[in-house]
Amino acid sequence: RDKGNKVIYFAGYKKPQDVYKVEEIEAASDVIIWSVDAGEAIQPRRAQDKTFVGNIVQAMIAYSEKKLGEITLSLKDVNRIVAIGSDRMMEAVKMARHASLAKHLNPDHIAFGSINSPMQCMMKEVCAQCLQKHVDPETGEETSPVFSCFNQDQKLDCVDFPNLRARLKQNSVQEKLSNRILDLLMQKKNIMQV
């Protein structure tokens, strides 16, 4: 924004109580569409901001079709999309860009995803546990793998999301076990969790 760029921020949450860092989000964006999967709508604090109940792709379509009110910035003017969130949400954005969202977008835009790989040692290409499989968007053939710890922001069309999802599942049991142990320790020490 310091260089004159305009930012449309689609902030998606499972439930309204998940919202945080409102001031920082407002400072970083010209327009915010507060989206919640279900439940009560999130109430915007600024006049230009909108609210929506549904997923991010639905929010983007509703915004573009002016179902949330008049718009000051159009998705047709967007030349960069950055998707940050779960692998399923980023894959949904990837797919929608070529289907239900296509008519609302600038055809020359570039889309990136901030990939949460299964391992982030942050040693920059040392352990190879963060290798992310890429595919050529034109041919569907596998290309060179990418170290996610060194290159977390990747072109959405190149990311092999089924592969990423399978790799993320490898850590599922460890993550659940760690959470259970942490819950037990917090309970034992009578420490309130936020």
Side-chain angles (χ1 to χ4, degrees):
R1 292 186 72 220
D2 293 343
K3 295 182 180 183
N5 294 309
K6 301 291 183 193
V7 176
I8 304 172
Y9 190 111
F10 287 85
Y13 303 92
K14 289 210 179 288
K15 46 192 183 294
Q17 55 268 38
D18 293 340
V19 175
Y20 68 103
K21 296 198 178 233
V22 174
E23 291 79 16
E24 288 93 333
I25 294 170
E26 288 175 341
S29 56
D30 294 285
V31 175
I32 305 166
I33 295 76
W34 296 101
S35 174
V36 62
D37 286 349
E40 207 172 303
I42 299 164
Q43 295 308 309
R45 301 183 332 168
R46 305 183 308 180
Q48 72 268 33
D49 297 340
K50 313 289 183 198
T51 188
F52 183 79
V53 177
N55 67 43
I56 288 293
V57 172
Q58 293 166 337
M60 293 172 81
I61 293 169
Y63 175 81
S64 295
E65 293 176 349
K66 299 182 181 176
K67 291 179 179 174
L68 308 181
E70 286 303 309
I71 58 176
T72 54
L73 296 173
S74 170
L75 290 185
K76 287 265 187 206
D77 297 325
V78 171
N79 59 13
R80 294 281 186 280
I81 294 175
V82 179
I84 303 171
S86 72
D87 59 295
R88 292 201 186 270
M89 183 279 287
M90 290 187 287
E91 184 178 28
V93 171
K94 170 186 172 178
M95 303 307 286
R97 290 175 37 252
H98 302 290
S100 58
L101 266 174
K103 68 182 179 183
H104 302 292
L105 298 174
N106 173 347
D108 297 323
H109 79 275
I110 299 171
F112 297 92
S114 189
I115 304 305
N116 302 313
S117 63
M119 178 64 179
Q120 292 278 335
C121 71
M122 304 315 287
M123 294 176 69
K124 306 297 182 211
E125 302 182 1
V126 171
C127 75
Q129 290 190 50
C130 69
L131 280 179
Q132 175 56 45
K133 191 166 124 182
H134 273 199
V135 293
D136 183 311
E138 301 296 320
T139 66
E141 292 183 19
E142 188 175 332
T143 62
S144 299
V146 174
F147 285 90
S148 291
C149 69
F150 191 72
N151 183 14
Q152 193 168 9
D153 295 333
Q154 302 170 25
K155 285 189 175 180
L156 273 181
D157 286 336
C158 295
V159 177
D160 183 335
F161 281 100
N163 173 259
L164 175 61
R165 194 165 18 267
R167 301 232 25 242
L168 290 170
K169 283 184 179 179
Q170 293 172 335
N171 291 341
S172 178
V173 172
Q174 289 173 321
E175 290 169 356
K176 289 174 183 162
L177 184 58
S178 294
N179 282 340
R180 295 290 297 257
I181 291 170
L182 181 61
D183 288 344
L184 179 66
L185 291 172
M186 300 290 266
Q187 184 181 22
K188 221 175 186 176
K189 295 290 184 181
N190 200 24
I191 300 172
M192 184 174 67
Q193 295 183 49
V194 181

